[in-house]
Amino acid sequence: MKEIKNTEKLILFEEITKSVKKIYRQNKDDEKKEKFLIYSFIKGNIDYEYDGEKIKKIIIEDSDEFPSFISQYGYGFSERSLNNFFRYKFNDNKIDTIILSESKTSTRQKSSLVLNYDDIELLLKLIRQEQRACDDTKKTLIKNLIVDIFPDVNFDYSETNNNKDLILRNLNDKLIAKLTANEIQALGEFYVKATQKFKAGHIIKKMTAGLMKNAQILSLQEIIIKYEKLLTENPAESEWQKFFDEYITLFDSRYVHKVNYKNIATGITKYPDLVLVDIYGYIDFYELKKSSTDLIQYDKSHKTWFWSKDVSMVIAQVSDYIQKSKENALPYAKTIKEETETDTEQGLEVNIINPRAIIVIGHTKQLDTEKKRNHFKNLRESLKDIEFVLYDELLERLKNLLASIQTSATLTPDNCPDDLPF
């Protein structure tokens, strides 16, 4: 073992055995002159000893040099807060090693955390920025106190926390939980002022679209949770009717109005569960059955599948809606306009031209063979102006819609995906 470096407080020693080179540290103030292993050069890596409560080793991969953020004398990360975190605050019992890499993406590998150099450098930049902002805030608070107590002293009052990056990083869910109603109102007023900075209409449109997207995401997340609960409970048709009546215009924006059909004479003896008007003024009838309703039955003599009794009845039912609405198209449209008219708004103009009926019913788990699926597909596509939507299909569409909105958060309003199509 030979001495390779002598500083004011330390002596470094080198020990070479076969293909491994080890570096030790000795404190000059240590009367026992104990030597502590700092790191070893092994197979192109630097194995760095670390005294964390959980992290015991740092491997500097594919290198014989230290990155700027690691101490060559065995004291871990150069940045104190980062070092303290991995030494004392990191408490995952399954992780004992950190691998530092210039080429690999930051990820987890079994009992190791791989950290890319660039990610650490960015983190250190943010920490330094935060520290500078904190120091600036402290100075400003001191100066403002002097101004408040001694107004004749030649200082100007300054606003604190004017660091843009610091403010933006703190706009998170934890902050929302701490805000009062007045503070939220102040944020809203700030947002209005901020939009006035931009004269270009497309920028304001984009910012507004972003807020609308976030609101839509929150609404869809709530709708999906309630929908999944109903699908599990398999409630009565009336419960599904309440759900669709409350939420369908939120998850299918084609529809802009629900018609209170029970106040409207249509010549129909039994009312559909929902009557919806789309953005073009066309009418759709919705009929809701239970998710457990049998879809098809087997005909042994012909070795084929046909509609179940319940489905046949609902097909006849919605066919009657469609036929009666066509026969009474003009008085139906007139009555809708009169019933939806208010003292401030004109009544709704609707088109009773080829109205559709959408039947929400059943579950794909009933179609557990390819033959069943094919026969159901053929039966489904044979109907004119009548569409079938299975409950789990709709749930999947809701989830896909949510995913597409989340994915398209950075898109402009002009090329965002459409809402859920039936």
Side-chain angles (χ1 to χ4, degrees):
M1 187 179 296
K2 66 176 182 178
E3 180 181 320
I4 57 171
K5 193 165 187 176
N6 196 319
T7 70
E8 183 180 348
K9 296 182 178 180
L10 300 172
I11 303 173
L12 298 188
F13 296 90
E14 177 185 85
E15 178 185 57
I16 300 176
T17 58
K18 295 183 180 180
S19 59
V20 178
K21 180 168 69 174
K22 297 182 178 182
I23 306 299
Y24 294 83
R25 178 188 70 219
Q26 178 185 306
N27 292 343
K28 289 185 176 180
D29 295 337
D30 184 7
E31 295 180 357
K32 297 181 179 180
K33 300 186 181 301
E34 289 186 277
K35 297 179 179 64
F36 298 93
L37 177 63
I38 307 175
Y39 55 89
S40 307
F41 293 97
I42 303 175
K43 296 180 180 179
N45 299 330
I46 301 176
D47 277 27
Y48 191 96
E49 303 299 317
Y50 194 66
D51 59 348
E53 292 182 359
K54 305 296 180 184
I55 304 295
K56 300 300 181 183
K57 188 179 290 294
I58 297 175
I59 298 175
I60 304 169
E61 196 172 61
D62 297 328
S63 178
D64 57 1
E65 296 181 355
F66 285 86
S68 59
F69 45 79
I70 289 288
S71 166
Q72 298 185 37
Y73 300 109
Y75 299 112
F77 292 94
S78 304
E79 210 297 314
R80 182 187 300 175
S81 58
L82 181 61
N83 206 37
N84 286 340
F85 175 82
F86 281 117
R87 182 170 281 156
Y88 305 118
K89 303 296 184 182
F90 189 87
N91 56 8
D92 190 323
N93 292 321
K94 296 179 181 179
I95 302 292
D96 58 16
T97 303
I98 292 175
I99 300 174
L100 303 176
S101 174
E102 285 190 279
S103 58
K104 290 182 179 177
T105 303
S106 295
T107 186
R108 176 175 178 171
Q109 292 182 352
K110 297 181 180 180
S111 62
S112 301
L113 289 182
V114 178
L115 294 176
N116 182 271
Y117 279 26
D118 290 341
D119 290 335
I120 297 177
E121 292 289 0
L122 175 60
L123 172 62
L124 294 174
K125 178 183 176 182
L126 294 174
I127 290 174
R128 290 191 291 268
Q129 191 178 57
E130 196 91 16
Q131 289 171 338
R132 285 195 299 270
C134 185
D135 290 340
D136 290 343
T137 298
K138 291 176 183 177
K139 292 175 186 176
T140 301
L141 289 172
I142 295 169
K143 186 177 70 171
N144 289 347
L145 177 66
I146 298 298
V147 173
D148 288 338
I149 299 176
F150 309 104
D152 55 330
V153 175
N154 190 23
F155 280 126
D156 293 326
Y157 191 91
S158 302
E159 294 292 338
T160 58
N161 292 336
N162 58 356
N163 183 290
K164 180 183 72 174
D165 291 335
L166 177 63
I167 293 170
L168 292 176
R169 284 202 304 276
N170 283 286
L171 291 177
N172 53 50
D173 291 348
K174 290 183 178 179
L175 177 62
I176 293 173
K178 296 178 181 179
L179 291 175
T180 65
N182 289 336
E183 289 167 342
I184 292 174
Q185 181 179 349
L187 284 174
E189 292 170 354
F190 174 81
Y191 170 76
V192 173
K193 291 178 182 177
T195 58
Q196 293 170 354
K197 173 182 177 181
F198 301 102
K199 303 299 181 184
H202 71 282
I203 296 178
I204 297 176
K205 184 179 179 184
K206 184 175 181 180
M207 294 171 70
T208 305
L211 288 177
M212 291 176 65
K213 277 184 179 297
N214 287 333
Q216 194 174 14
I217 286 170
L218 292 173
S219 296
L220 276 171
Q221 287 172 335
E222 178 186 356
I223 289 168
I224 288 170
I225 290 171
K226 291 184 177 181
Y227 191 98
E228 288 178 323
K229 185 173 184 292
L230 285 171
L231 198 55
T232 300
E233 294 174 349
N234 187 30
E237 293 166 13
S238 58
E239 289 300 311
W240 282 115
Q241 186 174 341
K242 289 177 185 177
F243 175 86
F244 277 81
D245 188 61
E246 182 174 0
Y247 293 114
I248 191 166
T249 54
L250 295 178
F251 63 73
D252 191 342
S253 62
R254 291 177 307 167
Y255 297 120
V256 294
H257 200 92
K258 294 194 296 287
V259 176
N260 188 354
Y261 48 86
K262 292 183 180 178
N263 293 336
I264 297 171
T266 64
I268 301 174
T269 56
K270 190 175 187 298
Y271 299 108
D273 291 324
L274 284 172
V275 178
L276 298 168
V277 182
D278 69 16
I279 56 176
Y280 304 108
Y282 291 101
I283 290 285
D284 282 348
F285 298 114
Y286 270 74
E287 192 64 28
L288 309 173
K289 297 300 176 183
K290 294 184 68 172
S291 59
S292 60
T293 303
D294 289 334
L295 295 171
I296 54 179
Q297 291 178 264
Y298 188 62
D299 181 352
K300 294 181 180 179
S301 60
H302 295 90
K303 296 182 179 180
T304 188
W305 294 85
F306 62 97
W307 289 125
S308 69
K309 179 182 177 181
D310 288 336
V311 174
S312 297
M313 290 175 63
V314 75
I315 290 174
Q317 194 174 323
V318 298
S319 296
D320 190 49
Y321 300 157
I322 293 171
Q323 184 60 33
K324 290 295 196 307
S325 64
K326 287 179 180 179
E327 292 173 356
N328 299 275
L330 292 178
Y332 190 14
K334 181 182 176 182
T335 307
I336 289 176
K337 184 175 181 179
E338 290 173 352
E339 289 293 334
T340 56
E341 187 176 355
T342 67
D343 56 348
T344 59
E345 295 182 3
Q346 292 185 343
L348 197 64
E349 297 279 357
V350 299
N351 298 306
I352 316 296
I353 302 172
N354 294 327
R356 295 187 312 158
I358 291 94
I359 300 171
V360 185
I361 191 171
H363 196 289
T364 56
K365 65 184 179 183
Q366 298 179 36
L367 309 173
D368 52 1
T369 67
E370 186 175 358
K371 183 171 285 189
K372 286 183 183 179
R373 289 189 290 271
N374 289 337
H375 278 270
F376 177 75
K377 180 176 181 293
N378 292 335
L379 289 169
R380 182 186 222 174
E381 293 176 353
S382 68
L383 298 171
K384 183 182 178 182
D385 300 326
I386 298 175
E387 296 182 24
F388 275 83
V389 179
L390 305 187
Y391 278 94
D392 57 315
E393 288 179 339
L394 179 53
L395 176 60
E396 190 64 26
R397 292 179 190 180
L398 286 172
K399 290 180 177 180
N400 290 339
L401 174 60
L402 175 60
S404 69
I405 294 172
Q406 291 172 325
T407 303
S408 66
T410 57
L411 298 178
T412 62
D414 295 329
N415 61 359
C416 288
D418 295 330
D419 279 348
L420 178 68
F422 276 122

